[in-house]
Amino acid sequence: LQFLYFIGPPHSPHPVLSTMSGLTDEKLFHLCFDPAEFRDEEDFNPAAFLVEKRKYVSIDMIIKDLVTFREYLQDEVVHLVNTDVYDTFLSVTNKLYQREGELLRLQAPLPELGARVKAACGKLEDSKNKVGEKLQRIHHLEKCKMYSVRKLKITVVEHGLKGQLEELEKTKRGMDTLCDDEPHKGLNGHASDANGHANGVGSNQTPAPFQNEARLKLMSSIAQQARRLQVEQSLWVAVLDEQKTDRANTNTRLNQFRMHILEQIQSEYVAYLTAYKKYCSTTNPDLLASILEGIKVCLEAYHELEEEDAAVNIFRDIICTPSAEDSISWAAARGSRDSPGTMNKLFEAPIEACRTKWKRLIDVGHEAGITVLVVALWQSFSDTISKRLHFLFDSGNPYLFNHRYRAAHKLAVTFENCCPTIDTLQKLRQEMKLWESRWNTDVYYKMREITVKNHLQAWLPTEGKATLALATSLNSDSSGAPDAVSLMQEDFSYGPCAATYSLLMWCGSDMVMMYPLGHKFMRLCIEVAGSLKNWHNKFLSDNELPVLDETGDVVKGKFVPSYQLLAECEDDDVLLNIHLDLSKLKTHLNTTFGPAFKEHYISAGPTVTGVLDTCLDAIGMATTHVARDVTTALTAAVTLRCINLLGFVAITPSNLFAKKTIPTSPSAASAGVLQPLNMFKPKLYEKSYPQEVIDAWSTEIITVTTTKYRSLVQDTRVKAKQQQASLSNWRNKKESITGAEQNTTPVTQANKCDVQFYLDVLNFGKMLSEGHDIDIDTFGPYQRLLDVVRRGAWLHGSIPDEPVEEWLTTSASS
């Protein structure tokens, strides 16, 4: 198929190819392609070549020329073979003929040489087998040597350990006499004092420290050698059957020897722990340091031999269990189990011992590489408490349940503080999960939740019309229980904020809050803040307090033109006092409630404290939202009074076009527009509102009032223009009927109204500037109001050119 792609236009004869092939120019003259184009084998593209040549000739002609060119090539190949290659072939043939005799001479000894090679291969194979056998024997001997060397090392280490054990047994243990004396003050402080009798000392003396440095070094060396023996034993490999039998017998003997070593270490460990129980409260620091050093060496030995569990079990039997049984008893507490003080006394001794005496042992264990001693201590105490004080987990009385949990939680936190590493703390908390599951915290929280909701229903009722009650009129909890909800009136004027603050502080108090229920109590506090928000929204809705849009129109509530907004109050005292209560509540939450809540989670980590901050922000946002709604109602009430005093809204056509002269002074109505604001601001100063709040409220009231002022001026001017046009048309018709001369004097009644508006607006701006420190040159609402009365300014002569008021013409015509 590729052969069909060799197409090209007709060319002139190809001198190069003609020279190469010996053909004449006449024979190659009619080829439709250039044979030289086939020389580049790498870059030649048959498809492209075919497309290019197909433009000039047909496929049949291309095939014909290609067949001709192929025949030409075949002739050229034959010609080249006959001329060049054949001479070479004859030369090679002559040379090979001369070598025929030599090949015959070489062929004769080949069978003999083959036999010799075969014999040599046999010998090599035999040598190979012999070498393999020798290497296998050498390898076997090497394994036997390694077995014997390893066994020799084990024997040497074993012999050295036996000598060290004999030396250890001969060495007098320094604490032997101490352990045989009467016990001193124990770990929990329930035995005799620390100045008891030991080593023959008097009753007012402390035993002198014993010198056990050599013995401790010997024990440490024994542990290291035993560990080395264990490693050598694990690397000891048996090959032969008799070696395997010998190795099994030796391992049995070594295991027994290892048990003997552990018994010696256990004997030392038990002796030192017993001595520590007696002298843990001694005033002799050298004696205590000697005992702790001995415990450390024993623990290091257990750690070296990977027998940490055995060390922990012995520690639990000698220290943990007796200490827990001695301290967790009502005899030690000496009080009623229903008394919160008794629970504190019950755990005082273990907490103090954990911080001092047990902490020493835990630190020594950490230095020796065993960090779980604190976990063993906690297991013993939690088991003892669960068996002897099972009533602790009863949540029937939430007050006692809370005190019991907080007392027990202090003990748990003390154990957590004794953890030497993070891993140990995680293991301890994993162990504490069973302890936490025994407390009926869900029942406890449900009882607290019911208490809060009952008080919410009593103090912030959702049924009926929302009415205000003074903070002093709320009924406090009269149950007399120590954990009853007490009303914290503080300096609140009304009940809602006082009730909310009292419930929030109650939820965050020590007698209610519990560590594992923090997230639930935070959610409950958010519900309390939400109840305050819902109650205030209902209060504003029930009393139909007005809400204005930015143009001054009432979009919600009702417009009360008098100063009495509510039935039970005059002026704005109620709303101001509500707003002040909300501000005080927010201040108390930031200064009192927030720190009290965070105190329970000071060590809970950044994640928990971050969630706590989020919840506190949610409570603050709820109070802020209520304060904003109250502020809106308060400023709307004052704004509506100002709008009600805009006197020009009462202008009617009957007095609008009365025969009066052009006005030259502001109207009396414009002077009282801001009178409600002037009466409102002194109340804010009286209640010690910040200046920035007063300025913000005043600006909001003035902005809406000015916007409404502009809207009313526009509407009035449009009506005046329409009525003036109607009156002019009527007069013109009348004069045309009667034949009287039409009045060509310009109509001035509407112009009088425009001038009056301009003077009133100037007076309004003067009141803003002088009475409320408003920069009227940059105050946008006032400038827009001034634009509406620019025609009055032109009529008054204040500006030279008459303004173009397209809005007025369009509105009047429509």
Side-chain angles (χ1 to χ4, degrees), residues 723-750:
Q723 295 177 7
Q724 181 64 44
S726 300
L727 183 60
S728 298
N729 293 334
W730 177 78
R731 286 177 178 175
N732 292 335
K733 289 180 181 180
K734 181 178 179 182
E735 291 174 355
S736 64
I737 294 173
T738 58
E741 184 180 357
Q742 294 185 0
N743 185 13
T744 58
T745 306
V747 179
T748 60
Q749 283 81 355

Side-chain angles (χ1 to χ4, degrees), residues 2 5-6 37 40-51:
Q2 266 191 335
Y5 288 101
F6 297 103
E37 297 181 11
D40 192 354
E41 299 178 358
E42 296 181 357
D43 297 335
F44 180 73
N45 188 344
F49 188 64
L50 175 63
V51 172

Side-chain angles (χ1 to χ4, degrees), residues 11-19 25 28-29 31-36:
H11 290 316
S12 59
H14 313 293
V16 177
L17 188 59
S18 298
T19 303
D25 294 341
L28 297 176
F29 181 77
L31 287 179
C32 61
F33 51 83
D34 184 2

Side-chain angles (χ1 to χ4, degrees), residues 471 487-493 498 501-502 505 588:
L487 181 64
M488 305 176 69
Q489 297 180 3
E490 298 296 333
D491 51 354
F492 296 109
S493 299
Y501 180 65
S502 301
M505 291 301 296
H588 287 320

Side-chain angles (χ1 to χ4, degrees), residues 54-329:
R54 184 62 180 84
K55 297 177 182 179
Y56 306 99
V57 294
S58 63
I59 293 294
D60 295 335
M61 182 174 291
I62 296 172
I63 296 174
K64 182 179 179 181
D65 288 347
L66 288 173
V67 170
T68 302
F69 186 63
R70 182 184 62 181
E71 293 175 354
Y72 155 73
L73 291 177
Q74 291 176 350
D75 294 340
E76 283 295 308
V77 170
V78 173
H79 176 72
L80 290 174
V81 170
N82 292 332
T83 56
D84 297 337
V85 180
Y86 185 71
D87 294 339
T88 305
F89 173 76
L90 293 178
S91 176
V92 172
T93 303
N94 293 329
K95 292 180 181 180
L96 291 177
Y97 179 76
Q98 297 175 1
R99 296 286 185 261
E100 183 178 2
E102 296 179 3
L103 292 175
L104 293 175
R105 288 193 299 271
L106 291 173
Q107 185 178 3
L110 285 179
E112 182 180 355
L113 293 175
R116 292 179 182 179
V117 170
K118 185 175 182 180
C121 290
K123 293 180 180 179
L124 289 175
E125 187 67 24
D126 295 339
S127 301
K128 175 184 175 182
N129 294 334
K130 292 181 180 180
V131 170
E133 292 176 359
K134 290 183 179 180
L135 289 176
Q136 186 175 4
R137 181 170 179 79
I138 291 173
H139 183 66
H140 176 73
L141 293 176
E142 186 68 24
K143 288 184 177 181
C144 294
K145 176 184 176 182
M146 292 176 60
Y147 177 85
S148 301
V149 170
R150 191 71 64 184
K151 182 178 181 180
L152 180 60
K153 290 182 179 180
I154 291 173
T155 304
V156 172
V157 175
E158 181 183 9
H159 180 72
L161 276 173
K162 289 181 179 179
Q164 289 178 340
L165 287 175
E166 292 176 358
E167 185 178 355
L168 182 66
E169 292 175 356
K170 294 178 182 179
T171 306
K172 180 178 177 58
R173 189 163 53 203
M175 83 290 293
D176 286 346
T177 53
L178 298 180
C179 296
D180 296 335
D181 292 326
E182 292 297 326
H184 286 234
K185 186 177 181 181
L187 287 171
N188 303 298
H190 302 310
S192 61
D193 58 21
N195 294 324
H197 302 281
N199 290 337
V201 297
S203 59
N204 295 326
Q205 296 179 352
T206 302
F210 43 86
Q211 302 297 330
N212 270 341
E213 294 183 4
R215 186 178 181 86
L216 294 179
K217 290 181 179 180
L218 190 57
M219 282 186 56
S220 179
S221 177
I222 290 174
Q224 294 175 2
Q225 293 300 318
R227 174 60 179 169
R228 179 186 172 189
L229 179 63
Q230 184 178 356
V231 173
E232 295 291 342
Q233 188 178 356
S234 64
L235 298 177
W236 192 22
V237 179
V239 179
L240 303 178
D241 293 337
E242 58 271 16
Q243 291 178 348
K244 294 179 180 179
T245 304
D246 179 59
R247 182 176 179 275
N249 296 333
T250 305
N251 284 338
T252 302
R253 187 183 75 254
L254 292 178
N255 290 336
Q256 295 176 355
F257 185 60
R258 175 184 170 84
M259 295 302 299
H260 178 65
I261 294 174
L262 289 175
E263 290 176 358
Q264 293 294 325
I265 296 175
Q266 178 179 340
S267 175
E268 298 289 328
Y269 185 42
V270 170
Y272 278 109
L273 288 179
T274 305
Y276 184 78
K277 284 182 62 177
K278 293 181 179 181
Y279 298 100
C280 59
S281 299
T282 181
T283 57
N284 189 336
D286 295 334
L287 175 62
L288 188 61
S290 301
I291 298 175
L292 291 175
E293 183 64 24
I295 296 175
K296 178 182 177 181
V297 171
C298 294
L299 291 175
E300 288 176 346
Y302 277 110
H303 179 66
E304 189 74 28
L305 296 176
E306 298 180 351
E307 295 289 342
E308 292 88 347
D309 293 340
V312 173
N313 292 332
I314 297 173
F315 178 76
R316 181 185 291 110
D317 295 337
I318 296 178
I319 300 294
C320 304
T321 303
S323 300
E325 292 177 353
D326 291 344
S327 59
I328 305 301
S329 65

Side-chain angles (χ1 to χ4, degrees), residues 533 536-537 540 546-547 578-579 582-583 586 620-636 697 700:
K533 175 183 175 181
H536 275 95
N537 290 338
L540 297 176
V547 178
I578 291 176
H579 189 272
L582 291 170
S583 299
K586 191 171 183 179
M621 289 176 61
T623 57
T624 302
H625 181 79
V626 175
R628 185 179 67 248
D629 291 344
V630 173
T631 301
T632 301
L634 189 60
T635 55
W697 288 5
E700 182 179 355

